Amino acid sequence: MQEIKERLVQDLKSATTAEQVEQIRVDYLGRKGSITTLAKSADFSKMSVEEKKSFGQRLNELKNFATAEISAAVEAFKASAIRRKTNDLDLTAPGKGRRLGALHPITLTQMELEDVFQGMGFSVLYGPEVESEYFCFEALNIPGDHPARDMQDTFWLKNQLILRTHTSANQVRTLQRFGAPIRAIFPGRCFRYEAVDPSHENTFYQCEGLVVDKNISVANLIATMKTILSQVFKRDVKVRLRPGYFPFVEPGFELDLNCLLCGGKGCPTCGDGWIELIPCGLIHPEVLRHGGIDPKEYSGFAFGVGLTRLAMMKFGIKDIRYLNCGDLRVNEQFTTLV
Ligand code: FA5
């Protein structure tokens, strides 16, 4: 037994792998291992009671010793494997970056506009992109034969519905549903059959706004536009207001922004230094009537922010086509990670 014990200690010392320790366990404690064989080969019939007792006791001690030593060796190998792995870890190596999503510049601009308008008591509503001719045109004083239809040619579906050309399609839809007084904006995607250039896309975003209440005047409209622009650009920007014709407002205006890309000198995006950004005006009495509102009692203003162009001005994007191109490098440049 003493010999087995010494051999076991020696074997464990020279083991260099966990597999070798396992083999030692089999060699000593396995079914045919030396300790098991010793136990089986003992001829108890030739031993006195005292000898049997002493043999059994020492055999048990040997078994316990072998089991404990082998377990300790297994644990030691496990620990050293973990240590080896930890040593392989280079904490100074650059990490493997995980690509995070980023919001599109138009989405960021829309969210900001929504925040600013909500702060001024406007509700945010979203109308359908597939619209009826009635809400998109007829209810806005643009019957089928009106020349204004030429300015907003669109995509027609087989069922006489159309892809909306402007978010103004929400004006009468909303007035019919909620009545007056009301203060709401309608950001969303619009579609036009359009020759594409640096400032025109066939798919772009607008943000319509509508205020109907008692005694609403052009002064309210201008004050609202100024507040919005200063909050979105966080600095003073130069704008100009000029007459504009839209059959659904009277009077109607074009609010142009002095181009932030060229500083007003003129560039391929703006042309003459001014970029058409927010057409607006007082809502035409006939439109109010279509919405079920009495124009003698209520008046209101409406505006249609060119949301895509606003994003271009805000982020300094020179060509509108970058925004729909689907190249993630566009997002990564202009947006903060979310
Ligand atoms: C309209 O769409 C009117 N519905 C706006 C309006 C609303 C007037 C309420 C009065 C009262 P317009 O076609 O000009 O108007 O378009 C409005 C804005 O949308 C433009 O100033 C421009 O910034 C943007 N826009 C128009 N067409 C395109 C286009 N093809 N690509 C990108 N932006 C466009």
Side-chain angles (χ1 to χ4, degrees), residues 152 165-168 171 192 194 199-202 204 206 208 246 248-249 254 276-281 302-306 308-309 320:
Q152 297 193 8
T165 56
H166 54 177
T167 43
S168 300
Q171 288 187 15
R192 287 188 198 178
E194 189 94 79
S199 58
H200 291 86
E201 255 290 6
N202 49 38
F204 59 97
Q206 289 186 340
E208 190 81 5
F246 300 92
F248 39 97
V249 286
E254 287 281 3
E276 277 181 22
L277 195 63
I278 318 184
C280 49
F303 54 89
V305 182
T308 303
R309 287 196 193 158
I320 199 167

Side-chain angles (χ1 to χ4, degrees), residues 202-270:
N202 49 38
T203 305
F204 59 97
Y205 284 74
Q206 289 186 340
C207 177
E208 190 81 5
L210 183 75
V211 173
V212 178
D213 210 327
K214 295 197 170 148
N215 302 319
I216 294 293
S217 72
V218 174
N220 301 122
L221 166 62
I222 294 173
T224 308
M225 297 299 97
K226 274 190 175 165
T227 311
I228 296 309
L229 288 173
S230 67
Q231 293 214 25
V232 168
F233 288 106
K234 297 184 177 62
R235 61 183 158 124
D236 276 341
V237 286
K238 222 161 123 186
V239 293
R240 73 176 182 192
L241 197 67
R242 59 191 168 92
Y245 173 67
F246 300 92
F248 39 97
V249 286
E250 181 58 40
F253 305 101
E254 287 281 3
L255 190 145
D256 303 333
L257 178 73
N258 198 239
C259 180
L260 298 175
L261 300 175
C262 64
K265 285 197 225 70
C267 67
T269 315
C270 64

Side-chain angles (χ1 to χ4, degrees), residues 119-177:
M120 294 170 73
F122 282 71
S123 310
V124 181
L125 303 168
Y126 308 95
E129 292 178 351
V130 176
E131 249 309 349
S132 70
E133 217 184 325
Y134 172 75
F135 284 124
C136 199
F137 296 125
E138 280 155 18
L140 297 174
N141 291 339
I142 313 175
D145 55 358
H146 196 288
R149 288 251 178 147
D150 294 345
M151 296 191 289
Q152 297 193 8
D153 204 356
T154 186
F155 303 89
W156 291 76
L157 308 182
K158 285 196 177 119
N159 54 8
Q160 287 303 301
L161 292 176
I162 55 175
L163 296 188
R164 69 176 175 199
T165 56
H166 54 177
T167 43
S168 300
N170 289 304
Q171 288 187 15
V172 170
R173 177 187 286 285
T174 306
L175 291 177
Q176 285 182 356
R177 180 144 180 225

